[in-house]
Amino acid sequence: MAEFDPEKFEEKYVHYFNELQRAYKQAFEYMNERYDSELIHGIDQFVLNESEPRYEGDGEFSIDLPDDPYERMGIAVDRDRFEEVLDTYVDRLEREHRRVFGFEG
């Protein structure tokens, strides 16, 4: 992989599409092994498919989620459980971005 360029991340889907796919796939696999499969698939399909990764600087990434992620879910799930798992999923996804882009081993 070429060295990460923050300016290129502004057009991330042109320059870093494969890396972004890898980060999402690895986060999904990690979460799917540890949490309810239906919930993880729901978060992936109804929330994260509309999310936007951002590079914050200093090797840190964030994930902008769509408005009202709980209301977007296509399955019935306890709101507290949903929020807990979503927070964990987003944390894992940010970590995978750091790893895929070479900011952590």
Side-chain angles (χ1 to χ4, degrees):
M1 180 186 82
E3 187 173 324
F4 180 77
D5 182 340
E7 289 182 20
K8 285 185 176 180
F9 202 77
E10 292 179 21
E11 294 184 36
K12 59 190 148 286
Y13 300 113
V14 172
H15 300 287
Y16 294 118
F17 184 77
N18 291 335
E19 291 85 351
L20 292 167
Q21 269 193 319
R22 189 166 53 248
Y24 274 88
K25 181 178 187 252
Q26 290 170 323
F28 176 83
E29 289 174 357
Y30 176 89
M31 294 299 293
N32 200 44
E33 290 174 4
R34 289 161 178 80
Y35 294 90
D36 175 63
S37 172
E38 185 178 22
L39 177 56
I40 296 306
H41 281 273
I43 291 172
D44 184 62
Q45 293 175 353
F46 299 109
V47 178
L48 293 181
N49 71 332
E50 297 292 327
S51 69
E52 190 67 31
R54 302 243 181 257
Y55 180 65
E56 300 295 336
D58 295 324
E60 292 297 319
F61 293 84
S62 65
I63 307 298
D64 288 344
L65 297 174
D67 291 337
D68 302 318
Y70 180 76
E71 283 75 23
R72 301 174 68 83
M73 286 295 290
I75 62 169
V77 62
D78 175 73
R79 185 180 201 101
D80 289 339
R81 178 74 176 145
F82 166 79
E83 290 175 359
E84 173 189 326
V85 173
L86 179 61
D87 287 346
T88 302
Y89 203 154
V90 168
D91 288 345
R92 186 65 192 196
L93 189 51
E94 290 169 352
R95 182 177 185 188
E96 291 297 339
H97 279 94
R98 289 190 302 273
R99 197 184 62 66
V100 164
F101 288 108
F103 292 105
E104 79 178 35

